[in-house]
Amino acid sequence: MSSKRNFIKKIWDLPDHKAASESVFLNRREMVKGLGLGGLALTAGNLSLSGNAMASEEDPSAALYPVRRNKKYTLGEGRTLTPERINTKYNNFYEFGSHKQIYAAAQALKIRPWEILIDGEVEKPITIGIDDLLKKMPLEERLYRFRCVEAWSMTVPWSGFEMSNLVKLAKPTSNAKYVRFETFQDESVAPGQKQFWYPWPYVEAITLEEAMNEMTFMVTGAYGKPVPKQMGAPLRLALPWKYGFKSIKSITKISFTNERPVSFWEELAAKEYGFWANVNPEVPHPRWSQATERDLETGERIPSVIYNGYGEQVASLYADLQSEALFK
Ligand code: MTE
């Protein structure tokens, strides 16, 4: 247990400003060298390291994008869209490494065929391929803020659909109280999954009520294209009022449950990463303040806001839960 704790301390103890200056602003050559990829064939033919996201060209859903923007969701005063080139090259995806430059490694993930199992407390379990799911869901674009527990933040033009539509498709029974999400498990493509001290596969969970909230968005695209692999293709969650670790990537299983599931980070360090994980600048992480956040593009520190500014939409979810640790 204590070694687990020390380990967590090590990986998430990197002062945020240091992580950023060492990564976001590295030039291409330094990045390739730093990754030890100098000898690999990172040529334009198989992997583009320039400019835009590496949305895979073979993605059969590419023609669906861009989708109509839902103008109800704006970034708020003073916030602008984080450029794609930053967002797609500064990622947390531990399956591909416990550092921020996993974008090249993540290209090994095969995203077709991709099936999602919907099971548990539902009328009937369903297995659905991502392209069939895309056909059934009303796709739209939303501009959302994103706040990582490590105190950096960004904004993203996500494409996808409101999770409530998937809940309707799943037809949960009256026993269902929580929704549990699971990421793929395949250590042949995701070397991070060979690290046995992590409780793979990555798991996250929310309440059924949270799943029905209008803000809960299932992401299938970003920047007017299919979502790139490093950002969680072909299906991830976006919960913009919660710390970023709740927004699970590359989902293969969605289970409706009666008991509260234990998530990946909660299992590793429950005192630091709880079930609720709602953003609150007044509740510090045990090892750092949450009062401000660093904008990934400008590097500026900006004040953090309770529920990441989405209180109007989500605060009522927690009105009767004040005895819970809602903010870690
Ligand atoms: N999902 C999976 N499967 N594996 C991960 O390591 N990291 C989480 C979350 N979802 C993670 C994940 C964390 S800690 C963050 S901050 C966000 O993804 C990062 O999303 P981004 O890389 O698109 O910025």
Side-chain angles (χ1 to χ4, degrees), residues 126 128 130-139 165 169:
I126 314 171
I128 187 163
I130 184 68
D131 295 301
D132 287 337
L133 184 66
L134 283 165
K135 274 188 217 142
K136 286 184 195 290
M137 295 290 131
L139 298 182
N165 293 295
L169 178 81

Side-chain angles (χ1 to χ4, degrees), residues 91-95 148 154 183 202 236 244-245 247 249:
N91 301 100
N92 274 335
F93 203 164
Y94 282 77
E95 285 82 344
C148 179
M154 61 180 184
T183 296
Y202 199 98
R236 77 173 279 175
F245 65 88
S247 292
K249 298 178 171 183

Side-chain angles (χ1 to χ4, degrees), residues 259-273:
E259 281 182 21
R260 192 165 105 177
V262 178
S263 61
F264 180 86
W265 289 108
E266 194 182 1
E267 189 167 339
L268 277 165
K271 290 205 173 107
E272 307 199 355
Y273 311 107

